[in-house]
């Protein structure tokens, strides 16, 4: 069964607004969540990692939250720009696994229009 | 900094032909992975190698074989290609730690079409 769910396949927003992407996990309890960016014709690129005991993590215009009660992570891009247009993937591993194996969501395609 | 290198970038095969996709990483990572990515399906794990000398099946291993040639190289083989294997294939590597707190590093993919 799918462990990581990104319910929105596409999100379109205007430049300057904040984009918010959602990632939900089911049937397990990851210790970490990771977010990746994927541009057309390229492989995913790691952006941010958040631990379960971190409520929020920031990197420049990016912010990630981790709510273990809701089993959800939110990924925010503030002051969005057309260059932020890409597909964003959420991923997590089984707690305690040492194999490094990740389960990926299907991704949300973000389009930022001028 | 090359990172993860995949060859070839594009390939067209006929049904029944065989092919090996190559992957090499220069980050001295222990773990390597092969994924396929199809529209609407996301990344699905085919096989992975947690360390040199070991390989394990992922979600969709049928029709594929892998070889962990050494610490740097991990190849994926299609013995008898089928149209259902038309996809984009990604190789990745990571340094595994408990609970998945290390990112994976991806190559730019091989776009494979089976006619």
């Amino acid at each position: 069964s799918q462990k990581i769910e990104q319910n929105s396949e596409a999100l379109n927003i205007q430049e300057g607004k904040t984009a918010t992407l959602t990632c939900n996990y089911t049937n397990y309890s990851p210790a970490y969540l990771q977010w990746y960016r994927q541009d057309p014709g390229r492989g995913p690129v790691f952006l941010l990692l958040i631990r379960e005991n971190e409520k929020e993590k920031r990197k420049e215009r990016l912010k990630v939250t981790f709510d273990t009660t809701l089993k959800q992570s939110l990924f925010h891009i503030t002051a969005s720009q057309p260059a932020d247009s890409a597909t964003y993937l959420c991923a997590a591993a089984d707690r305690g696994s040492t194999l490094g194996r990740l389960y990926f969501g299907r991704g949300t395609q973000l389009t930022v229009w001028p | 900094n090359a990172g993860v290198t995949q060859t070839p970038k594009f390939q067209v095969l006929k049904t029944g032909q065989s092919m090996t996709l190559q992957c090499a990483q220069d980050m001295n990572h222990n773990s390597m992975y092969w994924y396929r990515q199809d529209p609407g399906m996301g990344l699905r794990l085919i096989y992975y190698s947690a360390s040199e000398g070991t390989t394990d099946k992922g979600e969709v291993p049928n029709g594929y074989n892998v070889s962990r040639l050494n610490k740097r190289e991990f190849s994926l083989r299609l013995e008898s290609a089928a149209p259902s294997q038309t996809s984009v294939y990604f190789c990745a590597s990571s340094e595994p730690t408990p609970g998945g707190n290390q990112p994976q590093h991806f190559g730019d993919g091989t776009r494979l079409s089976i006619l």
Side-chain angles (χ1 to χ4, degrees):
Chain A
S1 63
Q2 188 74 19
K3 290 189 172 185
I4 300 286
E5 296 172 352
Q6 294 180 258
N7 294 329
S8 297
E9 289 190 6
L11 179 64
N12 299 312
I13 64 167
Q14 188 175 21
E15 183 175 11
K17 303 292 186 184
T18 296
T20 299
L21 286 63
T22 303
C23 173
N24 296 290
Y25 54 92
T26 58
N27 300 326
Y28 80 133
S29 178
Y32 305 91
L33 282 168
Q34 301 185 19
W35 284 88
Y36 290 76
R37 170 181 173 143
Q38 186 175 21
D39 291 288
R42 305 299 298 273
V45 175
F46 172 76
L47 294 175
L48 279 172
L49 177 148
I50 186 166
R51 296 180 176 82
E52 62 177 344
N53 60 358
E54 294 178 312
K55 297 297 182 185
E56 178 181 300
K57 195 160 188 178
R58 294 175 183 263
K59 179 182 177 182
E60 298 174 350
R61 295 184 296 111
L62 307 180
K63 184 179 82 171
V64 174
T65 63
F66 193 165
D67 189 326
T68 56
T69 301
L70 294 178
K71 296 190 174 185
Q72 182 179 85
S73 175
L74 299 179
F75 178 84
H76 306 272
I77 305 175
T78 59
S80 59
Q81 305 166 0
D84 295 326
S85 298
T87 296
Y88 293 85
L89 305 172
C90 175
D94 283 323
R95 179 185 294 272
S97 170
T98 57
L99 300 176
R101 175 178 176 174
L102 291 176
Y103 297 92
F104 282 85
R106 296 178 181 179
T108 297
Q109 184 173 359
L110 174 66
T111 301
V112 181
W113 46 278
Chain B
N1 294 331
V4 178
T5 303
Q6 293 184 236
T7 56
K9 295 189 185 307
F10 303 93
Q11 185 69 48
V12 178
L13 294 177
K14 294 182 179 179
T15 298
Q17 287 186 317
S18 62
M19 174 171 187
T20 299
L21 280 60
Q22 306 287 352
C23 174
Q25 52 95 6
D26 63 1
M27 294 170 282
N28 204 37
H29 287 159
N30 279 298
S31 293
M32 298 185 72
Y33 314 85
W34 276 106
Y35 294 90
R36 60 178 290 173
Q37 188 174 43
D38 303 290
M41 298 297 293
L43 284 165
R44 292 184 291 171
L45 185 65
I46 305 171
Y47 270 94
Y48 63 103
S49 171
S51 61
E52 187 178 355
T54 68
T55 61
D56 285 288
K57 296 179 181 179
E59 298 173 67
V60 288
N62 292 343
Y64 305 95
N65 285 302
V66 290
S67 295
R68 183 73 183 267
L69 304 171
N70 48 55
K71 192 171 185 179
R72 289 187 66 248
E73 298 172 288
F74 189 37
S75 63
L76 178 71
R77 183 162 177 83
L78 287 70
E79 291 290 353
S80 179
S84 61
Q85 294 177 305
T86 293
S87 188
V88 182
Y89 291 86
F90 288 101
C91 177
S93 70
S94 75
E95 193 54 44
T97 53
N101 69 343
Q102 290 297 318
Q104 291 187 5
H105 300 262
F106 286 80
D108 278 335
T110 294
R111 282 141 191 86
L112 183 61
S113 294
I114 316 295
L115 304 178

